[in-house]
Amino acid sequence: MQELHGEKAAKAKKERTPMPEQPAEERRKNFNEVALGYTKEDALAEASRCLSCKDPKCVEGCPVNVDIPGFIKLVCEEDFSGAIERIKGTNALPAICGRVCPQETQCEALCVLGKKGQPVAIGRLERFCADYERQTGVKVPEVPELTGKKVAVVGSGPAGLTAAADLAKLGHKVTIFESLHKAGGVLSYGIPEFRLPKEIVRQEVEYIKQLGVELRPNYIIGRIKTLDELCDEFDAVFLGTGAGLPSFMGIPGENFNGVYSANEFLTRVNLMKAYDPEYDTKVRVGKHVVVVGGGNVAMDAARSALRLGADEVSIVYRRGEDEMPARREEIEHAKEEGIIFRLLTNPVRILGDEKFNVTAVECIKMELGEPDKSGRRSPVPVEGSEFTIPADVVVVAIGTSPNPIIFKGSEGLDQNRRGTVVADEETGATSKCGVFAGGDVVTGAATVISAMGAGKKAARAIDEFLKEK
Amino acid sequence: MAYEILKKEEIAPSVHRMVIDAPDVAKAAKAGQFIILRIDEKGERIPLTIADFEEDKGTVTVIFQEMGKTTKQLAKLSAGEFLEDFVGPLGTPADVRKLGTVILVGGGVGVAPAYPQAKAYSKAGNKVISIIGARNKDLLILEDEMKSASSELYIATDDGSKGHHGFVTDIMKQILDSGEEVARVVIIGPPIMMKVGAGVASPYDVEILVSLNSIMVDGTGMCGGCRVTVDGKTRFTCVDGPEFDARKVDFIELMNRLAMYRGEEAKAVEKYEEECRCGLH
């Protein structure tokens, strides 16, 4: 076996099969998906690079432990239906994960091929399988016999949807409460169409409904009902309410017209489709747009602003490019599209005119000092280096924290200083009996897949809890 | 989800009352709260204050004035038709307690949110003095309702066609000057009226509250579009409000922020009316 492994490794191509993409010049003018997806030939070529390791490290790198070599083997055999079934065994949202997971720091980071060349493009293959299924017709899942237990899931983002799907598959009656009119959480309001088409989110939500999950949109826990009331009505509750409260910088001029939180800017564009003239919601387009922040949300906001028709979009980030928390691919895509990166730069003041419209952002240059607690070198202002960037739209993308509305009128749920819910890492159990939590509401803003992983673990723990109840 | 319009009537020129079937909202609603509605898939989400609610019937009443494209489109809907979305109750309920004498000042469609407050303050055992006003008598709304919910009712119109010839704040000042011990003044109406009202009442030893209506998308604290400066700090109207200490609100900023989309809104109205003329709606 050892020999065969070595032989295969030598044969495997060092470079991965490239992803067909819309050219940067074209895509910066439209909201269509950037990555076009593998063809069957691409998928077969890429799948053949997998070594089918006996002890696959990639699976360990996946927060929901998808059987990666298993599904890739089925792709090699051209059994695409089998492959997607294998993925869906552990991952209810493959078309989404294949698009937005940071594979380079998870499954692909641990791929053996990555040591000498490029790792297998696991995410692209996952997307291929999911898209194949969507095109050929999604199999209606079998709904198991009901256990008679009722579970409430609060929030229909990645954590909530995953928990709901897994609990429904275990036979529990699940009701999801969503505050917005559309399900999906950040998948619907946050991540733009060009990275994750909303039709895909709709179809994945549809699949979860077919598992017997009831969805109640326009239903705000903390306003219509308290968490305590939910606890009385249901046998268990899962909180997947995310981190929806935007942070602002707290600098002068932040309330001028044209200054948006990334949440507002992206919600107007994505959820409310302000980019489409057929829709009523408005958004200020801007000629010179400044986006503050270095994460995926900042990239999404900058690239959206460009597509809305801005002449110039720049990202202002107080650290260097290496410290940017955004996915490598998003940074590259943004650069290709012409987004200007103003690194080691920090806004100190926003300027406006007599009509209360923003006109410029005053910034200061930064330099990197000693590493801070997160291990990143902390930025220090360079005295006297202030300068202004003209701007008629400013988007603040410096992070979010959990929305406190959910906690209104409920007792016994421990939170830490940052407003996140204290929950057991393995089970999601909180200080309140029967209440579990996972995703950004526990960790603070993180990734779609880590939220899904937490939803998955919590579903397992809730099932155990219900059996003992 | 769809929410049926059970009743609709024009209670003043371009001002409409709509009763919506929304049992979840009706059950939880309290005075001072608002809802957000969306007419259809392509519609925007707009906040409207709750003008009344009946838990047993599962209904919520909203009153709106035709202003922008959405309210004009809303005005065209009739009983039996449906709204795509209707979410609430939103906002922190009004802090209604037994205080003694409370003056409620409502201007224009601001009388609508004042009505559930009048009822709630009366029920809590307060003497409620209501002052309602409008540009002229035709635009005056909820006179009978406010009369029945208040201990005393005063009316003011800008043109003098009914009641006091002048502003609601004139009457408020008279009462404050009369020596009557007033614990709280609640002013609801156009921002300029609230600003003026707050200024007039400020020298008196009385608590002054205003209920703000900002631009917002979600109404749950997610977008921050409704930010308002209160006492030098940024607050969100949707979750921290809509009711704030009038003495501490930065009304100039509020008015400027409300004007953010005025140009776009005018264009949207023009386009919509043109389409209506062409028989498209």
Side-chain angles (χ1 to χ4, degrees):
Chain A
M1 262 333 265
Q2 210 46 39
E3 258 181 43
L4 180 65
H5 196 283
E7 196 183 331
K8 230 179 148 186
K11 270 194 207 160
K13 285 201 308 192
K14 282 218 171 98
E15 283 182 17
R16 48 170 59 185
T17 314
M19 178 62 130
E21 282 174 359
Q22 267 200 82
E25 257 321 293
E26 222 167 272
R27 72 182 190 237
R28 66 200 292 271
K29 295 178 207 133
N30 68 54
F31 274 86
N32 300 335
E33 200 171 8
V34 169
L36 302 171
Y38 274 171
T39 61
K40 183 177 145 190
E41 288 68 33
D42 290 334
L44 291 173
E46 186 58 24
S48 72
R49 295 180 64 226
C50 176
L51 304 178
S52 288
C53 302
K54 269 269 167 274
D55 177 21
K57 296 287 177 226
C58 53
V59 178
E60 290 169 28
C62 173
V64 297
N65 305 117
V66 167
D67 175 7
I68 294 164
F71 96 76
I72 293 182
K73 186 160 178 288
L74 290 163
V75 173
C76 288
E77 292 164 7
E78 295 193 33
D79 179 4
F80 305 131
S81 307
I84 190 65
E85 218 165 291
R86 184 67 59 93
I87 297 171
K88 279 193 165 173
T90 49
N91 182 349
L93 311 169
I96 293 171
C97 288
R99 287 172 165 83
V100 302
C101 265
Q103 289 98 4
E104 69 270 26
T105 61
Q106 298 181 342
C107 53
E108 293 176 10
L110 300 174
C111 175
V112 177
L113 287 188
K115 285 179 187 160
K116 285 189 175 164
Q118 290 184 323
V120 175
I122 299 166
R124 295 172 183 178
L125 288 170
E126 179 181 36
R127 170 181 164 165
F128 170 79
C129 295
D131 287 356
Y132 171 86
E133 189 197 32
R134 290 193 306 112
Q135 278 147 22
T136 53
V138 176
K139 230 167 66 185
V140 180
E142 263 178 53
V143 182
E145 208 174 300
L146 288 174
T147 59
K149 301 284 188 192
K150 295 195 304 178
V151 183
V153 170
V154 188
S156 66
L161 288 175
T162 305
D166 282 16
L167 287 163
K169 283 183 194 162
L170 291 163
H172 306 305
K173 178 75 195 119
V174 182
T175 307
I176 304 182
F177 296 96
E178 166 57 48
S179 71
L180 288 170
H181 56 263
K182 200 166 268 166
V186 74
L187 306 170
S188 289
Y189 74 76
I191 303 177
E193 179 78 15
F194 56 84
R195 219 150 63 76
L196 178 63
K198 299 309 141 208
E199 176 56 18
I200 287 171
V201 180
R202 194 192 63 78
Q203 288 184 21
E204 303 259 42
V205 170
E206 214 38 57
Y207 169 79
I208 284 163
K209 284 208 258 190
Q210 284 175 356
L211 290 168
V213 172
E214 189 195 349
L215 180 70
R216 301 284 308 269
N218 294 331
Y219 205 108
I220 304 168
I221 303 304
R223 290 281 189 227
I224 292 183
K225 277 201 174 107
T226 63
L227 180 57
D228 289 0
E229 286 172 294
L230 275 196
C231 289
D232 291 341
E233 275 175 54
F234 291 84
D235 298 299
V237 177
F238 175 74
L239 292 183
T241 46
L245 198 73
S247 303
F248 286 92
M249 296 177 283
I251 60 173
E254 225 169 356
N255 289 350
F256 277 127
N257 286 340
V259 182
Y260 289 103
S261 72
N263 261 5
E264 178 177 7
F265 186 73
L266 290 172
T267 301
R268 285 181 180 272
V269 176
N270 299 324
L271 180 74
M272 306 310 295
K273 298 198 179 354
Y275 63 86
D276 184 338
E278 289 283 300
Y279 284 73
D280 290 340
T281 300
K282 300 159 193 76
V283 71
R284 191 169 280 190
V285 171
K287 281 190 163 57
H288 299 280
V289 179
V290 169
V291 178
V292 184
N296 287 322
V297 175
M299 303 301 140
D300 285 346
R303 298 171 69 198
S304 296
L306 193 73
R307 283 160 172 78
L308 285 172
D311 292 343
E312 185 190 281
V313 181
S314 50
I315 282 182
V316 167
Y317 181 55
R318 63 198 181 116
R319 302 180 196 242
E321 188 172 324
D322 291 343
E323 285 83 22
M324 278 196 160
R327 279 176 75 193
R328 197 69 241 163
E329 187 182 306
E330 308 308 329
I331 296 173
E332 290 309 323
H333 276 151
K335 282 186 173 171
E336 286 165 22
E337 289 167 13
I339 308 282
I340 301 161
F341 282 65
R342 299 180 195 265
L343 304 169
L344 291 166
T345 302
N346 203 28
V348 288
R349 185 159 67 117
I350 295 172
L351 307 170
D353 62 17
E354 72 293 346
K355 286 188 171 161
F356 213 73
N357 290 312
V358 54
T359 54
V361 183
E362 185 180 307
C363 298
I364 190 162
K365 283 285 189 192
M366 309 290 276
E367 58 189 5
L368 291 180
E370 294 301 309
D372 63 8
K373 268 184 277 171
S374 71
R376 295 187 297 179
R377 293 175 64 193
S378 47
V380 189
V382 179
E383 236 174 276
S385 66
E386 288 88 349
F387 68 104
T388 57
I389 308 171
D392 48 4
V393 167
V394 175
V395 182
V396 183
I398 57 165
T400 53
S401 55
N403 191 329
I405 211 168
I406 175 80
F407 312 118
K408 283 201 187 294
S410 80
E411 278 170 19
L413 191 69
D414 286 351
Q415 290 168 259
N416 71 18
R417 271 190 312 120
R418 285 158 51 237
T420 52
V421 171
V422 178
D424 184 278
E425 214 171 293
E426 282 312 305
T427 64
T430 68
S431 57
K432 199 171 165 75
C433 181
V435 177
F436 297 74
D440 286 2
V441 72
V442 172
T443 57
T447 62
V448 168
I449 189 71
S450 63
M452 289 176 59
K456 217 167 182 55
K457 281 179 181 170
R460 219 175 297 148
I462 291 170
D463 185 51
E464 288 299 318
F465 170 80
L466 293 175
K467 276 182 195 149
E468 283 165 23
K469 199 175 174 179
Chain B
M1 288 297 276
Y3 302 79
E4 190 176 359
I5 301 165
L6 300 173
K7 227 192 248 174
K8 197 211 127 191
E9 54 185 323
E10 190 164 0
I11 56 173
S14 298
V15 177
H16 306 265
R17 170 162 40 202
M18 222 175 220
V19 181
I20 313 291
D21 179 34
D24 290 328
V25 185
K27 204 172 164 196
K30 292 200 172 67
Q33 291 187 299
F34 64 95
I35 58 93
I36 280 182
L37 65 80
R38 192 175 68 132
I39 298 175
D40 54 31
E41 173 57 29
K42 291 180 177 166
E44 59 182 342
R45 293 169 63 102
I46 61 157
L48 291 174
T49 14
I50 294 173
D52 203 2
F53 51 93
E54 288 185 74
E55 188 185 336
D56 51 335
K57 290 185 188 155
T59 60
V60 176
T61 304
V62 289
I63 289 175
F64 61 92
Q65 185 169 19
E66 291 181 47
M67 299 278 282
K69 189 253 174 182
T70 301
T71 43
K72 284 186 186 298
Q73 190 186 350
L74 198 58
K76 283 197 160 46
L77 298 178
S78 327
E81 292 190 89
F82 291 83
L83 301 175
E84 182 79 19
D85 298 296
F86 190 87
V87 59
L90 297 161
T92 304
D95 163 45
V96 176
R97 301 174 267 133
K98 183 164 181 181
L99 297 159
T101 299
V102 176
I103 299 181
L104 284 179
V105 185
V109 277
V111 178
Y115 174 52
Q117 296 221 13
K119 283 205 286 189
Y121 277 109
S122 290
K123 202 177 159 199
N126 295 287
K127 175 181 175 187
V128 175
I129 304 176
S130 295
I131 310 163
I132 62 172
R135 286 206 308 275
N136 58 55
K137 71 172 180 356
D138 294 335
L139 286 168
L140 193 73
I141 59 168
L142 302 183
E143 186 186 338
D144 294 342
E145 286 87 344
M146 285 303 281
K147 195 169 209 166
S148 70
S150 317
S151 316
E152 289 171 28
L153 178 74
Y154 298 91
I155 291 166
T157 49
D158 296 3
D159 67 352
S161 51
K162 186 157 196 177
H164 168 72
H165 187 163
F167 300 121
V168 278
T169 45
D170 304 339
I171 305 177
M172 177 186 76
K173 188 170 184 308
Q174 282 168 22
I175 298 170
L176 290 171
D177 283 334
S178 73
E180 163 123 32
E181 202 169 308
V182 178
R184 180 183 281 178
V185 177
V186 182
I187 310 171
I188 313 176
I192 185 68
M193 180 205 122
M194 294 194 284
K195 180 178 187 293
V196 170
V200 171
S202 272
Y204 298 87
D205 180 24
V206 63
E207 188 184 9
I208 318 164
L209 299 178
V210 283
S211 181
L212 310 183
N213 193 351
S214 309
I215 293 175
M216 51 181 81
V217 184
D218 61 289
T220 61
M222 215 184 90
C223 79
C226 64
R227 24 197 218 288
V228 53
T229 301
V230 181
D231 203 13
K233 291 189 199 76
T234 293
R235 311 290 299 272
F236 289 0
T237 304
C238 68
V239 286
D240 301 320
E243 211 163 77
F244 293 104
D245 181 343
R247 287 187 176 92
K248 294 176 178 165
V249 172
D250 182 342
F251 285 103
I252 300 293
E253 179 187 88
L254 175 77
M255 286 187 270
N256 275 313
R257 285 190 66 79
L258 282 168
M260 167 132 180
Y261 298 103
R262 206 154 277 167
E264 288 95 330
E265 190 56 60
K267 272 184 220 155
V269 168
E270 204 177 302
K271 181 169 168 253
Y272 178 71
E273 288 183 335
E274 178 61 30
E275 285 168 1
C276 285
R277 274 194 290 278
C278 298
L280 289 170
H281 298 288

